[in-house]
Amino acid sequence: MSDKPVVAERLVDDFLSLVRISSPSRREAEVARWLTGTLSGMGVRVDVDDAGERISGDTGNVFAQFPGTVPDAPPLLLCAHMDTVVPCEKITPVRDGDVIRTDGTSVLGGDDKAGIAAILEAIRIVRERGIPHGPIDVLFTVCEEQGLIGAKHFDIGRLRARAGVVLDCDSVDELILQGPAANRMQFTVHGLEAHAGLCPEEGISAIKIAGEAIAAMRLGRIDEETTANLGVVQGGLAGNIIPNKVTIRGETRSRSDAKLAAQTKHMVECFESAARGHRVTVAGKEHLARIEARVERDYDPLNVPADSRIVGLVRRAVEGRKRALTVRATGVGCDANVFNGKHGLEVANLGCGMRQIHTVNEWIDVNDLTATATTLIEMLRLNAVR
Ligand SMILES: [Zn+2]
């Protein structure tokens, strides 16, 4: 099968319409309205769930369930996210031959509107051309970029599908099967306030303790499947006050549960061990530095078996286009991390052509967009073949 079946101009028009609508996280309402209108126009009932209210956004996740034409074909989930990273206040796409980029003042938002556009076109084609297919669950999530928040608030029990793809990966003909779990961390160091010039011996500097802890900490790339970072430091009042409090926020990720636990423990211990070295006695009373550590699981790992049905389906679909599928692991999370493994779901992350994402240099090749839609069409077709 060639990439011909896709109506390239309609696909590109949809993509351009979508990227022109500004949709930072928690402000996806206009894109959701556009999608609700488009999906309704395809004759399907569209539901917007209550995730928006629960996360202080202006819309929920957009969900639609297309019936299949082959009654006993297994339902498939096709998912992409509606929000983009900033800057995205005003997006002016610029087309240069087959490449679409921005005017350099914003991201393009191909992350993840390339996925949305490919899904819409694939469903239109199978329906217009009478290509036999099973039921299709379509889900467009909110607030993915802020920690998969929309997906976390979607009721997975509503899905008919037990397999599917999230389209949220750069490149094309690539399928991500493994991604890390992540822990989010916040450390608050409590010291003791004192005048820095008058009586520094009566203070405990929270900033000094934090400095010792951080200097002793393994950060950055820990190993091939583990990373760690401290990204925010807040604290102190003035240059002449010994700071009694500093807060540090960070994270660690790993594709290995054991390594995630070990790195998390290491980071907590660095703070606690630094605090143990600091105490003062003022007016007969002993003051100890102390640490408040808050560790939260941000998301679970993605681990789709290479021999699972969804991987086989994507591979055959890509090979149907005379291309080879590359499967790989990643260091970032996506909505598939939330869905995979729940309710017996197998969900992998399929590349949809976006490039240099999360930068103002983001671009996409129209041919990669059509290739992605064609892969989806082929997946839907093959999924219904017994
Ligand atoms: Zn994304």
Side-chain angles (χ1 to χ4, degrees), residues 91-272:
I91 295 180
T92 308
V94 177
R95 186 159 177 182
D96 177 9
D98 283 339
V99 170
I100 301 171
R101 54 180 89 247
T102 72
D103 60 2
T105 63
S106 71
V107 296
L108 179 61
D111 177 6
D112 194 18
K113 285 158 179 172
I116 298 178
I119 290 170
L120 291 176
E121 181 61 16
I123 296 174
R124 276 203 201 101
I125 293 285
V126 292
R127 286 157 60 89
E128 284 172 2
R129 312 224 168 140
I131 298 170
H133 61 90
I136 310 165
D137 286 343
V138 177
L139 178 62
F140 298 130
T141 59
V142 290
C143 221
E144 191 273 348
E145 299 287 2
Q146 299 295 316
L148 324 178
I149 296 173
K152 286 175 186 169
H153 284 82
F154 176 73
D155 177 6
I156 297 174
R158 300 177 67 189
L159 295 175
R160 299 167 297 179
R162 290 294 170 267
V165 285
V166 164
L167 288 100
D168 191 12
C169 168
D170 54 3
S171 195
V172 72
D173 299 334
E174 291 198 3
L175 190 66
I176 288 177
L177 302 186
Q178 288 95 28
N183 282 343
R184 204 183 346 214
M185 283 176 268
Q186 179 173 302
F187 304 97
T188 305
V189 183
H190 295 276
L192 185 66
E193 211 160 74
H195 192 294
L198 209 56
C199 51
E201 47 286 288
E202 293 183 4
I204 301 175
S205 169
I207 289 178
K208 187 165 191 319
I209 294 169
E212 290 172 9
I214 295 165
M217 200 175 291
R218 291 189 296 274
L219 290 171
R221 163 129 348 251
I222 307 302
D223 62 37
E224 199 250 319
E225 51 187 359
T226 313
T227 58
N229 183 52
L230 296 176
V232 176
V233 177
Q234 282 171 318
L237 293 171
N240 61 359
I241 301 172
I242 304 241
N244 74 346
K245 188 171 149 184
V246 61
T247 299
I248 298 100
R249 292 206 300 273
E251 59 153 50
T252 176
R253 312 175 184 206
S254 182
R255 296 194 293 273
S256 150
D257 276 336
K259 288 176 179 173
L260 184 75
Q263 176 65 20
T264 302
K265 187 159 171 265
H266 164 70
M267 292 168 80
V268 173
E269 276 176 1
C270 285
F271 276 99
E272 284 176 346

Side-chain angles (χ1 to χ4, degrees), residues 190-194 201-205 209 244 275-290:
H190 295 276
L192 185 66
E193 211 160 74
E201 47 286 288
E202 293 183 4
I204 301 175
S205 169
I209 294 169
N244 74 346
R276 275 195 295 275
H278 293 264
R279 61 185 63 203
V280 291
T281 301
V282 182
K285 185 168 184 266
E286 188 178 50
H287 297 264
L288 307 173
R290 72 185 167 87

Side-chain angles (χ1 to χ4, degrees), residues 301-349:
L302 176 68
N303 197 358
V304 183
D307 62 355
S308 65
R309 196 175 147 271
I310 187 65
V311 179
L313 186 62
V314 176
R315 175 168 285 119
R316 285 188 295 140
V318 169
E319 286 171 357
R321 290 182 26 253
K322 309 269 182 290
R323 294 285 193 282
L325 179 73
T326 304
V327 295
R328 63 179 175 94
T330 181
V332 298
C334 71
D335 286 344
N337 288 58
V338 178
F339 302 135
N340 189 67
K342 314 257 164 63
H343 293 258
L345 271 161
E346 283 182 328
V347 182
N349 182 3

